[in-house]
């Protein structure tokens, strides 16, 4: 029997049950207690089993091979064990490893302090809304304001939030600096050339992937500049500020999509993904996977979650907006991916590396978008779709590459002996920000603090994968729509695979080579075409 | 777009994907307009009971998990490699 698998499946079931129930209505404390109890026992369990990996690492390659031979049931661990062997040259002596492990909790300090400032100490502030009433800002409200409120309220919200961050600016620079130094410490201790090689080696990803992405985007920033200029013209402002950047362009479309309509659109729009996919998708929608509507006390946002033995669960807060339709497509993409992976991979490979995790979700959105754009009847709806599409590429692709470039710059700076000061961080962020969005954007005085606000920078070199996933998904979705021979089998294989191979190889098997610039260039071309189309539509008057 | 990443990860060995668009579906709290969970038709709710029908069943599995987890430590002290094999195979 596989004790570890059985135990962890039970542990996961206990954990997921508690948190899903708690998210149904967080006013009921019973389930929060269950969550705390299982959390504590799970931590005990993890501590008790934490010896496994170091012990396997300590085995010689020969012992491992004998171990595999003598215990045939372990064959499915071959990839895992070989991967440990691959990283062996960066494993230190037992004493050194013990020291590094003991330093682990201490190394979390920068990140912990940042989170304390960001989540506990810092309040976003209060503004006066369009009705003249005081409004306490939350990130949810902030993003709505940036899309929908008057310019005065947008400016007030922006300035209020930035001033709150300004109060903590020295501490924020210090924590980010501490985090980069931590990254460098571990990279050097393990004998890596730099932080990037260290970070990407975990999943055996070549640094070419990272550099290619940044280079390709830097060579193709004109469409983004063009969009900024178009925005300035359409909004008819003398100066375009950062708080003007999320307002939808063109006439507003109030089109509503009921949940039933959304389901129907998804089943029709995703038809190119094949009968099997649609059949399973439809079954999922009608088998209690989705928690659809916003109710009192329910968790916010949207996610897909589950365990190895359960079906997927999708949290939604569906409000009939176009965005909700795409969020459903996105989360169902994750859910279907997990559903297939759980039934095709053994337990230990049933997760997904982030490098592949956002492909299935984004691919669904892309296939649906292409279907809707082809069928759209009136101009307002078409503009609304283009707004959504362009914003998505801006947020999921360009912004992430911009962040990736900033992360690379500050790591290189420290690697070359530089010191991270407030001024250095502000100037570096401002320069990159300006370079991406072009001369028509005016960055207000305190909006260069953003580089110090991103919690993901405390997980080095993480966000670029949103951009690579986006590019890979776009390429796959186009091939699915074009009905390329064999693509459905290839894509199914991709959906079935978890972590039993390296993520770059999984995508290569699906025909997308992220070590080459093709996929990234295609997304850049797509964005350029969309901006041109938007410009044409809006200039027709 | 910086709030994209405000989500906190509940990461055990459990799969969890958080929507990039996490906060785009946020709605203003409009007093009295948000329905109660009991007002919603069951077909629009997830079936968490597919994991455990009720909390009593949860408690039973919890006891098993707790007991085994507590015993792993003593097992490890006495038979480390035996435990390794029995855990994995
Ligand atoms: Zn996602």
């Amino acid at each position: 029997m596989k004790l570890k698998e059985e135990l962890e499946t039970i542990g996961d079931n206990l954990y997921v049950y508690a948190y899903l129930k708690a998210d149904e209505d967080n006013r009921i404390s019973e389930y929060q207690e269950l969550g705390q109890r299982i959390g504590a026992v799970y931590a005990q369990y993890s501590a008790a089993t934490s010896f496994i990996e170091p012990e396997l690492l300590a085995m010689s390659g020969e012992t491992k091979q004998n171990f595999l031979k003598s215990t045939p049931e372990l064959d499915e661990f071959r990839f895992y064990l070989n991967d440990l062997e691959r990283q062996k040259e960066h494993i230190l002596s037992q004493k050194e490893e013990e020291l590094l492990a003991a330093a682990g909790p201490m190394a979390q300090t920068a990140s912990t302090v940042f989170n304390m400032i960001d989540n506990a100490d810092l309040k976003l502030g209060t503004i006066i809304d369009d009705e003249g009433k005081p409004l306490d800002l939350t990130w949810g409200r902030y993003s709505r304001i940036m899309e929908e409120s008057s310019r005065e309220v947008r400016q007030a919200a922006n300035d209020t939030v930035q001033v709150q961050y300004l109060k903590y600016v020295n501490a924020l620079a210090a924590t980010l600096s501490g985090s980069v130094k931590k990254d460098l410490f571990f990279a050097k201790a393990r004998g890596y050339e730099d932080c990037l090689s260290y970070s990407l080696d975990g999943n055996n990803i070549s640094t070419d992937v990272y550099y290619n992405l940044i280079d390709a985007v830097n060579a193709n920033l004109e469409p983004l500049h063009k969009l900024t200029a178009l925005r300035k013209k359409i909004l008819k402002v003398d100066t375009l500020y950062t708080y003007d950047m999320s307002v939808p362009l063109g006439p507003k479309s109030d089109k509503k999509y009921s949940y039933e309509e959304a389901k129907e659109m998804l089943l029709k729009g995703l038809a190119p993904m094949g009968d099997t996919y649609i059949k399973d998708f439809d079954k999922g929608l009608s088998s209690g996977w989705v928690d659809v509507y916003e109710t009192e006390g329910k968790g916010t946002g949207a996610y897909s979650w589950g365990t190895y033995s359960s079906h997927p669960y999708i949290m939604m807060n569906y409000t009939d907006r176009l965005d909700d339709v795409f969020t459903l497509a996105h989360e169902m993409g994750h859910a279907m991916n997990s559903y297939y992976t759980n039934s095709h991979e053994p337990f230990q490979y049933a997760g997904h590396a982030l490098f592949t995790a956002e492909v299935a979700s984004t691919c669904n959105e892309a296939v649906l978008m292409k279907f809707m754009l082809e069928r759209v009847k009136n101009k307002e709806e078409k503009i609304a779709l283009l707004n959504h599409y362009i914003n998505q590429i801006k947020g999921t692709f360009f912004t992430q590459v911009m962040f990736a470039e900033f992360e690379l710059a500050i790591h290189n700076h420290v690697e070359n002996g530089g010191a991270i000061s407030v001024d250095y961080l502000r100037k570096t962020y401002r320069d990159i920000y300006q370079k991406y969005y072009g001369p028509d954007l005016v960055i207000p005085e305190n909006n260069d603090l953003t580089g110090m606000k991103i919690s993901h920078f405390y997980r080095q070199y993480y966000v670029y994968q949103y951009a690579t996933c986006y590019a890979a998904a776009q390429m796959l979705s186009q091939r699915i729509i074009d009905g390329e021979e064999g693509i459905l089998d290839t894509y199914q294989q991709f959906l079935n695979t978890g972590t039993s191979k390296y993520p770059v190889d999984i995508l290569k098997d699906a025909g997308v080579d992220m070590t080459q610039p093709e996929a990234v260039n295609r997304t850049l071309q797509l964005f350029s075409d969309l901006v041109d189309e938007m410009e044409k539509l809006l200039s027709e008057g | 777009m910086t709030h994209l990443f405000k989500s906190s990860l509940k990461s055990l060995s459990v799969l969890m994907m958080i929507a990039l668009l996490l906060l785009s579906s946020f709605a203003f709290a409009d007093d009295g307009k948000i329905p109660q969970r009991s007002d919603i038709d069951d077909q629009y709710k997830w079936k968490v009971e597919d994991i455990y029908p009720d909390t009593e069943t949860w408690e039973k599995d919890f006891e098993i998990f707790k007991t085994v987890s507590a015993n792993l430590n003593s097992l490890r002290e006495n038979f480390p490699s035996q435990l390794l094999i029995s855990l994995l195979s």
Side-chain angles (χ1 to χ4, degrees):
Chain A
M1 72 162 184
K2 293 176 181 170
L3 186 59
K4 191 168 187 281
E5 173 177 334
E6 285 190 12
L7 271 177
E8 283 175 18
T9 304
I10 293 178
D12 291 352
N13 281 336
L14 291 165
Y15 194 85
V16 171
Y17 176 87
Y19 278 90
L20 292 181
K21 290 303 278 182
D23 254 359
E24 287 180 354
D25 188 345
N26 52 41
R27 294 169 305 173
I28 304 173
S29 59
E30 178 193 347
Y31 298 112
Q32 323 232 359
E33 279 163 35
L34 296 190
Q36 283 163 14
R37 282 166 60 205
I38 179 60
V41 176
Y42 217 129
Q44 258 177 31
Y45 170 83
S46 301
T49 52
S50 62
F51 73 97
I52 295 181
E53 203 159 293
E55 188 145 318
L56 290 172
L57 272 170
M59 276 185 197
S60 73
E62 199 187 346
T63 318
K64 251 180 244 152
Q65 294 309 322
N66 287 337
F67 191 48
L68 280 171
K69 255 184 235 153
S70 65
T71 325
E73 305 85 47
L74 286 182
D75 200 55
E76 61 185 38
F77 285 89
R78 190 174 293 275
F79 173 75
Y80 171 75
L81 291 172
N82 288 342
D83 185 42
L84 284 180
E85 197 63 21
R86 175 184 70 82
Q87 297 182 59
K88 202 147 192 184
E89 59 172 306
H90 300 286
I91 302 301
L92 310 178
S93 72
Q94 199 192 336
K95 257 218 143 69
E96 289 167 320
E97 284 295 332
E98 279 171 13
L99 262 177
L100 285 189
M106 198 167 61
Q108 285 306 309
T109 306
S111 157
T112 310
V113 175
F114 170 81
N115 283 320
M116 281 299 166
I117 296 172
D118 198 34
N119 298 328
D121 293 347
L122 191 145
K123 302 282 174 273
L124 295 183
T126 305
I127 58 158
I128 303 296
D129 69 12
D130 279 320
E131 268 93 60
K133 293 191 202 122
L135 180 72
D136 290 336
L137 290 172
T138 62
W139 283 117
R141 286 175 180 167
Y142 184 84
S143 79
R144 266 287 168 101
I145 287 168
M146 287 302 148
E147 284 173 31
E148 294 175 357
S149 295
S150 68
R151 201 172 192 217
E152 291 68 40
V153 171
R154 295 201 309 269
Q155 184 186 358
N158 177 74
D159 294 355
T160 304
V161 166
Q162 301 301 345
V163 164
Q164 299 303 315
Y165 276 91
L166 193 61
K167 289 179 186 165
Y168 294 90
V169 68
N170 293 298
L172 291 169
T175 56
L176 189 50
S177 165
S179 182
V180 174
K181 284 179 195 158
K182 174 210 72 178
D183 296 340
L184 184 58
F185 170 81
F186 283 101
K188 282 203 164 154
R190 295 208 173 279
Y192 285 95
E193 197 183 326
D194 53 25
C195 299
L196 185 68
S197 323
Y198 169 45
S199 177
L200 268 56
D201 194 46
N203 278 318
N204 201 20
I205 296 167
S206 146
T207 52
D208 287 349
V209 171
Y210 203 90
Y211 293 123
N212 279 345
L213 174 69
I214 289 179
D215 289 348
V217 170
N218 268 276
N220 289 281
L221 287 171
E222 306 92 272
L224 200 52
H225 296 184
K226 192 171 170 184
L227 179 66
T228 309
L230 177 65
R231 175 172 288 281
K232 186 176 172 183
K233 191 176 126 199
I234 298 298
L235 295 183
K236 299 191 178 73
V237 291
D238 291 336
T239 312
L240 186 80
Y241 291 107
T242 46
Y243 49 79
D244 298 320
M245 297 297 274
S246 303
V247 182
L249 296 175
K252 222 181 147 208
S253 164
D254 285 327
K255 191 165 164 58
K256 299 278 180 223
Y257 303 84
S258 75
Y259 182 67
E260 294 302 328
E261 282 170 326
K263 280 204 304 198
E264 208 175 302
M265 276 162 60
L266 287 175
L267 292 171
K268 272 196 201 141
L270 299 183
M273 306 187 73
D275 296 342
T276 313
Y277 189 85
I278 292 298
K279 210 182 89 224
D280 293 337
F281 191 99
D282 193 16
K283 213 177 91 197
L285 283 176
S286 52
S287 318
W289 288 15
V290 190
D291 208 70
V292 181
Y293 295 109
E294 184 182 23
T295 50
E296 196 72 46
K298 184 171 153 173
T300 53
Y303 60 75
S304 164
W305 205 19
T307 75
Y308 189 60
S309 65
S310 83
H311 61 68
Y313 287 89
I314 292 176
M315 161 66 86
M316 288 289 299
N317 277 278
Y318 194 88
T319 55
D320 297 348
R321 302 176 345 144
L322 179 65
D323 284 0
D324 296 323
V325 180
F326 282 99
T327 303
L328 182 63
H330 182 103
E331 297 309 331
M332 277 301 285
H334 284 309
M336 296 294 288
N337 197 181
S338 300
Y339 175 73
Y340 288 127
T341 306
N342 284 344
S343 55
H344 287 86
E345 290 277 31
F347 177 75
Q348 73 272 18
Y349 300 134
H352 298 100
L354 183 68
F355 198 80
T356 53
E358 289 297 334
V359 173
S361 52
T362 318
C363 185
N364 274 10
E365 284 190 83
V367 172
L368 178 67
M369 176 56 87
K370 285 163 187 165
F371 168 83
M372 286 174 78
L373 274 174
E374 229 166 67
R375 248 146 268 247
V376 66
K377 286 185 214 90
N378 71 58
K379 195 170 143 184
E380 276 73 39
E381 277 176 47
K382 180 152 194 189
I383 290 174
L385 284 173
L386 287 176
N387 264 314
H388 180 94
Y389 209 177
I390 286 173
N391 278 336
Q392 188 194 36
I393 301 180
K394 211 161 60 102
T396 319
F397 183 80
F398 283 106
T399 304
Q400 308 310 325
V401 181
M402 184 177 85
F403 286 165
E405 192 169 337
F406 176 72
E407 261 190 285
L408 184 64
I410 63 177
H411 279 87
N412 284 347
H413 185 65
V414 172
E415 282 157 0
N416 294 326
I420 288 191
S421 63
V422 171
D423 288 346
Y424 166 78
L425 287 174
R426 295 184 72 161
K427 183 175 184 324
T428 306
Y429 190 80
R430 179 177 286 274
D431 290 349
I432 293 175
Y433 197 3
Q434 195 77 64
K435 180 176 78 175
Y436 271 67
Y437 286 93
D440 282 311
L441 173 69
V442 174
I443 303 168
E445 192 191 347
N446 292 327
N447 275 65
D448 52 17
L449 296 173
T450 303
M452 283 179 254
K453 283 163 47 178
I454 311 295
S455 62
H456 274 51
F457 291 159
Y458 291 82
R459 304 174 73 171
Q460 60 171 335
Y461 298 125
Y462 187 82
V463 299
Y464 80 98
Q465 301 171 103
Y466 289 117
T468 52
C469 281
Y470 193 89
Q474 271 298 345
M475 194 162 157
L476 283 165
S477 70
Q478 195 53 50
R479 289 164 53 203
I480 290 169
I481 288 172
D482 294 345
E484 192 185 294
E485 205 190 327
I487 184 66
L488 292 184
D489 291 339
T490 305
Y491 190 64
Q492 186 64 52
Q493 186 57 41
F494 170 79
L495 292 177
N496 294 349
T497 312
T499 55
S500 58
K501 285 181 174 177
Y502 292 121
V504 170
D505 294 340
I506 296 173
L507 281 175
K508 239 180 221 170
D509 289 349
V512 184
D513 184 352
M514 293 311 295
T515 64
Q516 300 296 319
E518 188 191 353
V520 170
N521 282 333
R522 283 188 184 214
T523 288
L524 289 162
Q525 185 58 50
L526 168 73
F527 184 76
S528 176
D529 294 345
L530 292 172
V531 172
D532 288 348
E533 206 175 341
M534 186 68 142
E535 185 179 35
K536 214 176 110 217
L537 270 179
L538 291 174
S539 64
E540 281 168 5
Chain B
M1 300 301 284
T2 59
H3 56 272
L4 278 176
F5 303 124
K6 286 291 156 186
S7 54
S8 68
L9 275 173
K10 298 164 186 169
S11 64
L12 288 169
S13 59
V14 188
L15 306 171
M16 181 175 197
M17 306 303 172
I18 296 190
L20 262 176
L21 306 161
L22 183 68
L23 291 162
S24 65
S25 59
F26 179 90
F28 282 93
D30 229 337
D31 286 351
K33 276 199 176 165
I34 299 175
Q36 297 297 316
R37 191 165 182 81
S38 53
D39 298 334
I40 305 288
D41 195 303
D42 277 350
Q43 62 166 315
Y44 300 115
K45 293 178 192 165
W46 57 24
K47 291 197 173 76
V48 185
E49 62 270 26
D50 290 345
I51 303 181
Y52 293 111
D54 48 38
T55 305
E56 286 72 59
T57 328
W58 186 94
E59 292 287 358
K60 277 184 200 151
D61 255 9
F62 181 72
E63 276 313 308
I64 296 173
F65 187 68
K66 198 170 113 181
T67 312
V68 179
S69 295
N71 287 328
L72 284 175
N73 261 330
S74 64
L75 200 62
R76 183 195 163 187
E77 277 152 25
N78 297 318
F79 318 97
S81 58
Q82 196 48 48
L83 177 63
L84 186 67
I85 289 170
S86 72
L87 274 173
L88 295 180
S89 62

